[in-house]
């Protein structure tokens, strides 16, 4: 494809995706309005208290056990702790499945890593970790058309080890039907600054066959952030987080990353005091709205749903590269 044609295609795609933009769904809005700022701060405080969550550390296994117990207390029963080994230690991905009522075998993967490096990682990536916990609390009793997998990856800081393991041992061998991967990494903001914008990330790398769908999903994500939070959005390319193994396997991805990038990541000062918890509260609201849009939350009170969008079939192109 020539550069001009590519640009033309991108313009067409952006135009068409805007022309089918989502509108505010009051059922989703009611759920979003129950996001709890105090839950978020309490969970960040607990996450921070475990310390530096490096591979093989007791802090990492204590955090793992805490995440599992939080899902159990929310009433989730399908919780897998997927063990994998690297650098002489065993680490675990935590995979929670919520089954959809119309497409039980098609998944929206919503993920965040919980391992950290050099510090407690309260922003990177305690922020994504507690966002998923709060989202899972609010979606627990919501019927969705698609199944959801909440996945807390480990080994991200060591080079996307856990997400590569999951894609190589589960997604590709099972030919898992994944409609979208929604990755959340470092969305805690910076204390003392105005944090009013979130970066929505889309796939720009090979294989390119899934890139148009990634951009469309990312436009939907940005629209939902606008509808269900007070944040502005910017689009940028996805890189360096757990969506990469899925991208390489031909899956459609999107992601969130803070616009004001903290200077504290990967250091002992990545702590709650250096974050903006109200920003994370707004990111959570927008993310819950987007998750309901992606998984198609079904209101028991509203009129019957319109015909679901045609189920996507994606080609798996296993071109995995370890970092
Ligand atoms: Zn991270």
């Amino acid at each position: 494809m020539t550069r001009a044609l590519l640009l033309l295609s991108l313009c067409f795609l952006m135009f068409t995706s805007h022309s089918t933009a989502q509108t505010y769904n009051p059922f989703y809005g009611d759920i979003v309005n129950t996001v709890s700022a105090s839950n978020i701060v309490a969970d960040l405080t607990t996450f921070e208290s475990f310390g530096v969550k490096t591979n093989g550390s007791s802090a990492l296994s204590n955090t793992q056990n805490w995440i599992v117990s939080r899902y159990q207390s929310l009433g989730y029963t399908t919780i897998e702790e997927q063990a994998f080994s690297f650098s002489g230690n065993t680490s675990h991905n935590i995979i929670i499945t919520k089954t959809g009522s119309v497409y039980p075998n098609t998944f929206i993967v919503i993920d965040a890593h919980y391992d950290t490096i050099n510090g407690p990682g309260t922003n990177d990536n305690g922020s994504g970790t507690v966002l998923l916990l709060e989202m899972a609390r609010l979606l627990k009793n919501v019927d969705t058309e698609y199944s959801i997998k909440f996945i807390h990856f480990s080994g991200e800081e060591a080079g996307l080890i856990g997400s590569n393991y999951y894609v190589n041992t589960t997604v590709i061998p099972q030919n898992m039907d994944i409609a979208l991967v929604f990755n959340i990494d470092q969305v805690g903001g910076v204390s003392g600054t105005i944090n009013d914008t979130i970066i929505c990330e889309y796939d720009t790398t090979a294989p390119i066959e899934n890139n148009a769908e990634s951009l469309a999903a990312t436009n939907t994500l940005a629209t939902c952030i606008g509808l269900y939070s007070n944040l502005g959005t910017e689009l940028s390319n996805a890189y360096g987080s757990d969506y990469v193994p899925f991208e390489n396997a031909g899956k459609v991805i999107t992601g969130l990353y803070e616009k004001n990038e903290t200077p504290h990541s990967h250091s002992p000062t990545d702590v709650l005091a250096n974050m903006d918890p109200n920003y994370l509260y707004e990111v959570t609201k927008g993310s819950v709205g987007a998750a309901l849009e992606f998984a198609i939350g079904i209101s028991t009170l509203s009129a019957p749903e319109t015909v679901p969008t045609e189920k996507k079939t994606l080609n798996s192109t296993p071109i995995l590269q370890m970092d």
Side-chain angles (χ1 to χ4, degrees), residues 197-219:
T197 305
I198 185 83
I199 303 285
C200 303
E201 304 169 304
Y202 63 98
D203 187 356
T204 58
T205 62
I208 61 165
E209 291 76 16
N210 54 359
N211 290 9
E213 279 190 88
S214 172
L215 181 58
T218 305
N219 275 316

Side-chain angles (χ1 to χ4, degrees), residues 113 115 124-125 156-157 185-186 240-241 257 266:
H113 74 86
D115 63 304
D124 181 15
N125 187 28
E156 195 269 358
E157 300 290 8
D185 193 356
Q186 196 176 310
S241 191
Y257 192 78
H266 305 170

